[in-house]
Amino acid sequence: MPEEPRAQFELFAACPRGLEAALVDELQTLGAVDCRALGGGVRFRGDRAVAYAANLWSRLASRVLRAIAQRRYRDDDDLYRLSNSVEWERLFDAGRTLRVDVSAQRSPLRSLNFATLRIKDGIVDRLRTVSGERPSIDTRSPDVRVFAHVDARQATLYLDLSGEPLFKRGWRSGAEDKGSAPLKENLAAGLLALARWTPAMPLYDPFCGSGTIAIEAAQRAFDVAPGAARSFGFERLLDHDAVLWSRLRDEAALRARSARRRIAGEAGAVRIAGSDVDRDCIVRARRNLVHAGIPEAAVAWRVLDAGRAPAPFGDPGVVVTNPPYGERLQARSSSAPDGASRHEAAMRAFGAALKKDFAGWRVWVLSSDAELPRQLGMQERRRTPLFNGAIECRLFGFEVYGPR
Ligand SMILES: C[S@@+](CC[C@H](N)C(=O)[O-])C[C@H]1O[C@@H](n2cnc3c(N)ncnc32)[C@H](O)[C@@H]1O
């Protein structure tokens, strides 16, 4: 699309609830301006380079959208007129497949399904009139996604720039995680941000599962762009600037190479460890790390019960972890002498292990269980509400004091 190269876009980056303020900080470092945290995301402005960089470099966002059109509306016909008025033919080809999603807040509309249909009709009719061809709908893996948000009066249409959600970094193979409950990568990065972990600090995840937290940390330490190994929706749009995009990717590759050289030159500079009681998890975590573009030796993996874990490094650092939680753990163990659940016994053992060997460490635990501090036998210093998908959780922050 012939458009001045420095055109400012109105953008929105979605993220897990609870990470909005951290996402503002991250987007600002990527050049975003006029950032405003809203529930579940951040509104911001930036040129095309900022929009691409947010996709390539944001560790916290789930998706980046570009606002395309906005108007006051009263009914579904207004939504049709709005979507029909956009010059979609400048943005994507009618041969592309399409998906439309609508979200609403205090909207007077009776049916969101019908609203979705009308917006889709507006787009399809427009492209058919202009090009003689109509895009087909594909709800599973569309080439182009349009999001609409309707509130009490305003309707806004967004074009998705990300495609697959950004937490899909491209290093996890789909089949391998069946049966376990891996954290989304951007939530793992969010825990590290809320814990104020920096690559200079030792990090340990004693319930590491597939290794998500340790791998996110290692990608940060090695300055690997989270989107380095994947493609994005904006690459399929007609206004895509391939020269700019290849420059941004080349810069990212250069940064990763120079970080690797720098770390290889400073013995022991990155101190990240992960352990899990399940051997298969460790096999998987090790493989995932290498797929994520990190040298195998960068993370120290061990098969270990968290209730018996020694501190993995001589210096104190930060524990960031999400032990098992949810319905799967409600089953009570009849063998526990005091009738406490097996889960409670495991948490008590974990708390004891921390007090025994982790003096000086800061400990951050994500859990949906409000009773966690009592189970660990520790008093939390911080408690931050966060959503793991639909599950309401808290990130509990503790400090482990040395023997007195
Ligand atoms: C919720 S999952 C962690 C998922 C992980 N954050 C990821 O992204 O893959 C909890 C993990 O704790 C492990 N686990 C359960 N009990 C444990 C124990 N006593 N010691 C160490 N690991 C344990 C399970 O094998 C599981 O992998």
Side-chain angles (χ1 to χ4, degrees):
M1 181 156 97
E3 158 199 276
E4 36 159 336
R6 304 296 296 173
Q8 288 285 307
F9 296 151
E10 303 284 338
L11 299 155
F12 180 79
C15 68
R17 275 175 191 272
L19 293 183
E20 296 89 348
L23 179 57
V24 166
D25 292 345
E26 186 187 55
L27 290 170
Q28 281 172 340
T29 67
L30 297 171
V33 294
D34 299 338
C35 295
R36 188 158 160 232
L38 305 169
V42 174
R43 204 162 66 195
F44 64 105
R45 287 161 57 84
D47 61 13
R48 187 178 298 279
V50 170
Y52 285 5
N55 276 284
L56 180 59
W57 281 102
S58 174
R59 300 186 195 279
L60 304 177
S62 317
R63 195 176 271 297
V64 179
L65 309 174
R66 174 184 161 191
I68 294 291
Q70 188 171 57
R71 67 168 276 173
R72 285 178 76 131
Y73 78 102
R74 254 184 287 166
D75 55 24
D76 298 296
D77 287 339
D78 288 336
L79 296 182
Y80 177 89
R81 277 189 283 274
L82 175 64
S83 81
N84 193 251
S85 70
V86 173
E87 293 178 312
W88 299 107
E89 64 278 9
R90 285 167 164 266
L91 294 168
F92 63 92
D93 206 270
R96 295 290 188 183
T97 56
L98 174 69
R99 173 179 171 137
V100 177
D101 288 278
V102 180
S103 60
Q105 226 173 8
R106 297 186 306 275
S107 162
L109 295 177
R110 279 214 223 114
S111 158
L112 281 196
N113 282 343
F114 190 62
T116 310
L117 206 66
R118 294 302 284 152
I119 291 168
K120 184 213 64 174
D121 285 347
I123 301 171
V124 168
D125 290 352
R126 165 104 198 181
L127 286 169
R128 199 176 36 203
T129 308
V130 175
S131 70
E133 231 190 311
R134 47 168 295 156
S136 44
I137 302 301
D138 180 349
T139 52
R140 293 191 111 209
S141 109
D143 296 322
V144 177
R145 286 168 199 256
V146 171
F147 285 86
H149 182 74
V150 288
D151 63 21
R153 292 174 178 188
Q154 295 270 6
T156 312
L157 297 182
Y158 296 92
L159 188 60
D160 170 43
L161 300 182
S162 300
E164 288 282 299
L166 296 177
F167 62 79
K168 297 198 177 178
R169 313 290 202 219
W171 52 256
R172 201 190 288 280
S173 94
E176 66 176 356
D177 289 315
K178 282 203 181 115
S180 69
L183 274 185
K184 289 199 170 120
E185 289 74 353
N186 60 335
L187 184 57
L191 302 186
L192 292 165
L194 294 174
R196 304 216 170 271
W197 175 79
T198 68
M201 303 173 187
L203 176 79
Y204 178 38
D205 178 358
F207 296 89
C208 74
S210 59
T212 319
I213 294 171
I215 293 169
E216 277 301 309
Q219 281 205 329
R220 219 177 110 192
F222 280 78
D223 212 6
V224 171
R230 53 162 283 163
S231 61
F232 296 91
F234 60 74
E235 294 174 76
R236 293 188 285 265
L237 299 176
L238 292 173
D239 65 347
H240 176 47
D241 184 340
V243 174
L244 169 66
W245 179 227
S246 116
R247 178 168 66 73
L248 291 174
R249 287 185 64 111
D250 288 350
E251 282 169 10
L254 195 68
R255 275 175 62 169
R257 277 200 300 276
S258 62
R260 211 181 250 241
R261 268 200 305 273
R262 195 179 63 239
I263 292 164
E266 303 167 27
V270 174
R271 288 168 297 170
I272 301 174
S275 60
D276 198 285
V277 76
D278 181 345
R279 181 172 298 277
D280 291 347
C281 284
I282 295 300
V283 170
R284 229 178 283 151
R286 213 183 275 283
R287 196 170 51 218
N288 285 339
L289 178 76
V290 175
H291 287 169
I294 309 295
E296 199 174 348
V299 176
W301 303 109
R302 284 185 74 182
V303 179
L304 204 59
D305 184 330
R308 300 207 189 98
F313 306 106
D315 295 337
V318 186
V319 169
V320 180
T321 195
N322 86 300
Y325 55 82
E327 305 90 287
R328 288 173 295 126
L329 295 162
Q330 298 309 317
R332 299 265 152 181
S333 159
S334 52
S335 60
D338 59 357
S341 71
R342 221 184 329 211
H343 173 61
E344 283 201 28
M347 288 303 107
R348 202 176 314 126
F350 175 45
L354 290 173
K355 283 183 249 178
K356 180 161 172 266
D357 210 39
F358 288 74
W361 285 68
R362 286 183 295 126
V363 177
W364 298 86
V365 185
L366 180 72
S367 177
S368 61
D369 192 344
E371 293 292 300
L372 181 92
R374 184 187 58 73
Q375 292 162 358
L376 289 176
M378 295 168 76
Q379 177 67 50
E380 80 273 21
R381 310 251 317 192
R382 299 283 299 265
R383 178 188 277 242
T384 311
L386 267 183
F387 277 82
N388 181 6
I391 307 174
E392 189 177 357
C393 295
R394 282 153 215 87
L395 180 64
F396 295 98
F398 306 92
E399 271 173 37
V400 189
Y401 299 104
R404 296 170 193 219

